[in-house]
Amino acid sequence: MNATQTKASEPILGGKMYHIALGRGDIPPYVLMPGDPERVDKIAQTWDEYTIITQHREYRSARGKYKGVEIGALSTGIGGPSTAIAIEELARIGVHTMIRVGTTGAIQEYIRPGDIIIAAAAVRLDGASMDYAPPEYPAYSSVDVLMALIEAAESLGVRYHVGVVASTTTFHLGQTRQGFKNYMWSGVERRLDDLRAMGVLSFEMETATIFTLASIYGLRAGSVCAAIANRVTDEFVAGAGVLDAIKVANEAVRILAEADRLRGGFREKPLTASLIARVAAKH
Ligand code: URA
């Protein structure tokens, strides 16, 4: 096979995964995952040093150091299908911890634009995860990553909420926004009110995919999003809280990496609250 030929069952070109264009060793095992490729640069600029690795389609990647910890970022594009590809390919090159750093639209009135939402679990309306497991299978955050994100948000003093988010397949109808020419149908028109009554915090589009696949594969996943919209008050503030979400994710990686080092890897021993407190107090 020459450089442009590969196996259809497992496409790898010149040692690089076909879609994300990364191979083993190209990106550290702790990776932040924004939807937007442009946010990869914004994330990397908050590290102590960084290099942009590559860009192919919606997948832009960077690696660098944050407070001495090797850290990476890879954009997923919007929605479950492209996110599932990113996870499949990252897993094959040794990534074990993935944190979504995104934006979200709150559906509870008390959540303000700029607040941070840390997902403990996600309602699986993403579509993509249905190719992997039946709807009864839960999409839940890794406990390690959830605890690290909460600790990070506390220590940074940001306004944050922890709970269930809903990941939808589409931004418009899937999140009970009218389609073109005010199109709506009965299957989704009550979705926002129903989920709000169930205490769901917000709509976004990738968390359920990341949580489901990571859980199946024994990897760790978390999700921290900035609420840039509130669907109850009908506010939309582009970019609100995004830098805070990035800072929380960076700090969570530092906590996880240090805790992993102290206990000899994350598969050996569960992460306890006392170990998190010890590690968090170090900086
Ligand atoms: N992302 C979403 O999926 N929905 C919103 O309302 C805002 C961000």
Side-chain angles (χ1 to χ4, degrees):
M1 276 194 257
N2 66 35
T4 54
Q5 278 182 315
T6 179
K7 286 194 289 184
S9 54
E10 185 72 47
I12 299 171
L13 286 180
K16 311 285 182 192
M17 295 292 128
Y18 177 66
H19 299 92
I20 64 174
L22 297 172
R24 200 163 267 277
D26 285 344
I27 196 162
Y30 301 86
V31 173
L32 307 189
M33 299 178 74
D36 181 358
E38 285 180 11
R39 202 170 307 131
V40 167
D41 299 70
K42 198 164 180 176
I43 289 171
Q45 283 157 13
T46 66
W47 300 338
D48 305 321
E49 57 186 76
Y50 75 92
T51 41
I52 298 296
I53 313 169
T54 188
Q55 164 123 30
H56 183 232
R57 298 174 178 241
E58 57 269 73
Y59 304 110
R60 184 169 175 82
S61 54
R63 65 178 300 153
K65 273 196 178 174
Y66 172 76
K67 294 187 179 171
V69 174
E70 300 260 13
I71 187 169
L74 173 73
S75 54
T76 60
I78 296 176
S82 59
T83 301
I85 289 173
I87 296 162
E88 286 287 354
E89 296 190 351
L90 284 179
R92 283 164 171 73
I93 60 169
V95 168
H96 57 57
T97 301
M98 308 173 189
I99 304 182
R100 162 157 163 74
V101 187
T103 58
T104 190
I107 60 172
Q108 300 293 340
E109 195 166 3
Y110 62 83
I111 299 174
R112 301 182 204 143
D115 285 2
I116 297 305
I117 297 188
I118 297 171
V123 183
R124 289 178 52 202
L125 300 169
D126 58 313
S129 70
M130 292 299 291
D131 279 357
Y132 284 79
E136 295 82 6
Y137 190 91
Y140 67 101
S141 174
S142 311
V143 176
D144 283 18
V145 185
L146 180 62
M147 290 204 300
L149 287 169
I150 293 171
E151 184 63 41
E154 270 296 321
S155 66
L156 289 164
V158 302
R159 215 178 111 92
Y160 72 97
H161 311 269
V162 182
V164 180
V165 302
S167 306
T168 61
T169 315
T170 59
F171 181 82
H172 293 91
L173 274 286
Q175 299 184 5
T176 322
R177 286 183 176 92
Q178 286 181 333
F180 184 50
K181 296 183 181 168
N182 301 332
Y183 177 68
M184 183 49 65
W185 76 291
S186 61
V188 291
E189 71 178 342
R190 293 208 45 79
R191 182 178 279 178
L192 191 155
D193 290 337
D194 286 347
L195 291 171
R196 190 167 45 147
M198 294 173 205
V200 171
L201 301 182
S202 67
F203 279 130
E204 53 80 74
M205 298 177 68
E206 294 82 14
T207 297
T209 311
I210 298 184
F211 283 2
T212 305
L213 273 64
S215 166
I216 290 171
Y217 293 144
L219 307 170
R220 294 190 299 191
S223 170
V224 55
C225 290
I228 57 164
N230 187 302
R231 298 293 306 287
V232 184
T233 59
D234 205 19
E235 293 165 280
F236 193 102
V237 186
V242 168
L243 192 56
D244 282 343
I246 293 170
K247 287 182 184 165
V248 168
N250 283 339
E251 201 49 28
V253 165
R254 182 192 69 76
I255 291 168
L256 288 167
E258 176 66 359
D260 293 348
R261 193 182 63 78
L262 290 174
R263 66 196 160 133
F266 71 90
R267 291 190 175 91
E268 309 312 314
K269 271 178 87 187
L271 183 52
T272 59
S274 57
L275 179 55
I276 289 232
R278 237 171 76 206
V279 169
K282 276 191 158 183
H283 284 261

